Amino acid sequence: MDKQAQISAIAERPVARGFALIGGRRAEALSGRRRAAVSPIDGTVLTELPDCAAEDVDSAVAIARATFEKREWAGMPPKERKRRMVRWAELIAAEALELAVLESRDMGMPFAMAEGLDIAFAIDTIRWYGELADKIYDEMISLDDTVTALIFRAPLGVVGAILPWNAPAMIGAWKLGPALVTGNSVVVKPSEEASLVMLRMGELALEAGIPAGALQIVTGAGEVGKALSEHRDVDCITFTGSGVTGRALMHASANSNLKRVSLELGGKSANIVMADAPDLDMAADVAVRFMFSNQGQVCEAPSRLLVQRGIEDEFVGRIVEKAKTLRIGNPLDLANDLGPVISGSHRQAIVSKIERAHASGAALTLDGRNAEGPAGGYYLGPTIVSRVDPASALAQEEVFGPVLSVIAFDRIEDAIAIANQTRYGLGASIWSANLDNVFYAASRLVAGNINVNGGTGPVVEMPFGGFKESGFGRDRSMHALDLYSDLKNVAIRRSARP
Ligand code: NAD
């Protein structure tokens, strides 16, 4: 069977009835309430999931705490923890095709991205952290002949991971990998818009031998995240999502037990194209592919294109031509590059932002508002808005949809000033063959993730996170271990010997 036939055959299967995963068992909400999981492809109900609330969070947290206190997971020999986490990655890999199809159906991600990015990077991340388990050493310092000082890295206890819908498996793995490998018990709150893949990953974790209380999943709306964030027995909240929720989480921490909070929030990343870019065609290609991947629903999407005056017309011409070739429709069809956006209300919010920018004088160089896809779905094509005022709402606010703003600049200093002129600081890119420009930009851009001449994808080896209102704390890499562990000093005085 060819790939397309395989995808279509899997997508025909009904989605099994959904459950939360509490204490190693498939659980209903204590209230018995359920909510629909709707596919943005055509608005059909895929299944129903428990609509959990604070009482369900209480049960999961109590189990997580008990597991931690019994050291079922934290006390397991690191080699064994490694074996189970790597096994978990292998089980996900064995179901990668099914999971990618499920992700496409649940949140509308184009299949190729679901398979090649969301699921593939989730597998790599879990394996990478699993393999780290027996390679994390504590430290020892000899202060003098009579005092030996040890520095232990200790897990925090119970971690609450609150996830967004835009790349649930990959972003979930960025949090679960380091939180689990350091020995914590984790309670996951997936987004109500896209929970299905994380739920299956949770079942596979149990199958791989991760203890029932070390990884639990509580489904439901923001109320579940709120209950986790206010819980006095949760030691850390790791979050990816909107700034509004991020602020609420910090309040909740301050008003409860001062739990640690890490926030990966939105962005308005600038993509600076200098006239001396080494390959303008590649720059145009990446500008379009990166911007419109996942329908622009990527926190790091290069949504402000800053083009040096002189090449502006030619470069914008190239990106418009490339954007026009992107095909929109059912994300399960391999011929399509873009699927639907997550919901009807999100589509409407994006359209309003385009209309507002148009009304205030920006040029709609490419208008995706009439794009069509399967009936009942929420489709929107690539939209390119030129002559955007860098201070305008379109250039300042995150759209989280397929809308690119084009801004011209004269000197690199101007480009950097414009790039830094938002409250965000997540990503930035620069295209230039001049090393002076590249290093100058890298040192002055206020962003956590800077790509030069194409850069690289979301690799687990490099930390990820933002400056300013894009949040704080870093997912991925060894640095993420610091989020989920703390240091403990033990100074041992010995008797002096001649
Ligand atoms: P959101 O903040 O609405 O929801 C994220 C999660 O928080 C969901 O699980 C939701 O149920 C939960 N939640 C909602 N209200 C809550 C509350 N009061 N307390 C606790 N939890 C609550 O964000 P979203 O719409 O899912 O995601 C889109 C946003 O996420 C965009 O702004 C995007 O830029 C950002 N994002 C950031 C990154 C990053 O790494 N920086 C990555 C992906 C998405």
Side-chain angles (χ1 to χ4, degrees):
M1 221 193 293
D2 75 354
K3 187 85 177 237
Q4 184 63 67
Q6 275 181 299
I7 293 167
S8 305
I10 296 168
E12 289 291 308
R13 296 182 201 153
V15 175
R17 185 179 165 86
F19 295 93
L21 216 54
I22 298 177
R25 284 207 296 274
R26 293 176 159 189
E28 291 287 355
L30 287 168
S31 68
R33 283 200 319 255
R34 300 179 71 83
R35 58 186 298 135
V38 175
S39 174
I41 295 177
D42 52 11
T44 53
V45 174
L46 293 171
T47 183
E48 283 188 340
L49 290 167
D51 191 13
C52 295
E55 54 199 8
D56 304 288
V57 169
D58 286 344
S59 327
V61 170
I63 295 168
R65 174 62 58 192
T67 301
F68 185 70
E69 295 300 335
K70 281 188 265 166
R71 294 188 62 80
E72 271 180 60
W73 178 243
M76 193 178 279
K79 253 195 183 2
E80 183 56 22
R81 263 194 274 145
K82 171 176 84 171
R83 199 186 64 72
R84 295 182 191 206
M85 285 184 69
V86 171
R87 173 86 185 118
W88 183 26
E90 282 163 1
L91 291 176
I92 299 170
E95 274 187 30
L97 186 62
E98 287 79 1
L99 289 169
V101 171
L102 189 60
E103 196 69 288
S104 276
R105 295 174 79 188
D106 199 16
M107 68 76 56
M109 184 182 281
F111 174 83
M113 182 177 180
E115 185 185 46
L117 183 124
D118 194 37
I119 304 299
F121 280 74
I123 296 165
D124 189 51
T125 299
I126 291 166
R127 184 183 290 124
W128 195 85
Y129 281 108
E131 283 171 350
L132 211 53
D134 56 356
K135 297 168 193 70
I136 306 170
Y137 296 155
D138 292 326
E139 297 167 44
M140 190 193 93
I141 306 148
S142 291
L143 290 177
D144 61 42
D145 255 6
T146 58
V147 180
T148 298
L150 305 172
I151 304 174
F152 293 163
R153 188 183 277 275
L156 300 178
V158 178
V159 172
I162 306 177
L163 307 180
W165 44 261
N166 63 332
M170 178 179 77
I171 295 174
W174 291 353
K175 299 182 186 303
L176 285 167
L180 285 172
V181 78
T182 40
N184 297 283
S185 294
V186 189
V187 178
V188 182
K189 188 328 223 171
S191 168
E192 59 274 39
E193 308 273 12
S195 307
L196 300 178
V197 168
M198 184 47 69
L199 283 173
R200 182 65 193 142
M201 282 169 61
E203 290 189 323
L204 294 174
L206 294 176
E207 200 178 318
I210 312 266
L215 174 52
Q216 300 173 88
I217 304 181
V218 185
T219 53
E223 197 188 330
V224 173
K226 184 167 180 290
L228 268 175
S229 70
E230 290 171 347
H231 206 294
R232 297 195 70 88
D233 212 17
V234 171
D235 302 288
C236 167
I237 290 286
T238 172
F239 174 72
T240 294
S242 66
V244 173
T245 306
R247 283 181 162 77
L249 296 175
M250 292 198 67
H251 281 294
S253 166
N255 293 333
S256 58
N257 60 342
L258 289 176
K259 60 179 65 62
R260 195 179 275 202
V261 175
S262 98
L263 304 177
E264 304 283 5
L265 310 175
K268 195 75 202 178
S269 305
N271 181 14
I272 302 171
V273 181
M274 308 283 301
D276 65 5
D279 183 343
L280 278 175
D281 199 56
M282 181 182 167
D285 212 49
V286 174
V288 167
R289 298 231 155 241
F290 190 1
M291 176 59 230
F292 298 115
S293 65
N294 211 22
Q295 298 74 250
Q297 301 167 126
V298 172
C299 50
E300 211 193 340
S303 54
R304 291 182 300 153
L305 175 65
L306 275 50
V307 193
Q308 194 158 29
R309 247 183 275 277
I311 60 163
E312 186 191 1
D313 290 345
E314 190 221 326
F315 194 76
V316 173
R318 278 193 212 217
I319 60 164
V320 169
E321 283 319 306
K322 287 181 190 287
K324 278 184 184 163
T325 66
L326 297 177
R327 293 186 47 172
I328 301 143
N330 190 323
L332 290 162
D333 183 340
L334 288 173
N336 290 330
D337 303 289
L338 270 72
V341 296
I342 190 73
S343 64
S345 58
H346 189 49
R347 186 184 183 284
Q348 189 47 48
I350 300 169
V351 168
S352 304
K353 286 184 174 142
I354 298 171
E355 283 165 358
R356 207 168 8 130
H358 192 37
S360 64
L364 267 184
T365 308
L366 184 64
D367 185 353
R369 286 176 295 173
N370 294 324
E372 283 179 11
Y378 318 118
Y379 296 85
L380 199 55
T383 298
I384 298 177
V385 188
S386 313
R387 297 200 306 270
V388 173
D389 174 353
S392 68
L394 190 68
Q396 291 291 317
E397 291 170 10
E398 186 180 42
V399 177
F400 221 57
V403 184
L404 176 64
S405 300
V406 182
I407 300 166
F409 68 89
D410 291 307
R411 301 170 313 142
I412 188 168
E413 292 82 357
D414 306 326
I416 288 166
I418 295 168
N420 289 342
Q421 188 194 339
T422 74
R423 59 200 171 93
Y424 295 113
L426 190 55
S429 312
I430 179 160
W431 298 81
S432 172
N434 180 326
L435 265 188
D436 277 354
N437 283 342
V438 167
F439 278 100
Y440 173 69
S443 75
R444 300 298 169 89
L445 286 166
V446 184
N449 314 284
I450 299 173
N451 282 314
V452 178
N453 297 332
T456 187
V459 293
V460 66
E461 293 88 336
M462 295 181 83
F464 182 72
F467 282 71
K468 300 197 283 186
E469 292 183 35
S470 289
F472 50 83
R474 291 292 179 267
D475 283 331
R476 308 199 317 231
S477 82
M478 300 284 284
H479 294 283
L481 302 179
D482 294 336
L483 266 181
Y484 306 104
S485 56
D486 221 336
L487 302 178
K488 210 188 249 186
N489 290 341
V490 180
I492 306 169
R493 181 167 293 278
R494 308 186 305 266
S495 54
R497 294 268 166 83

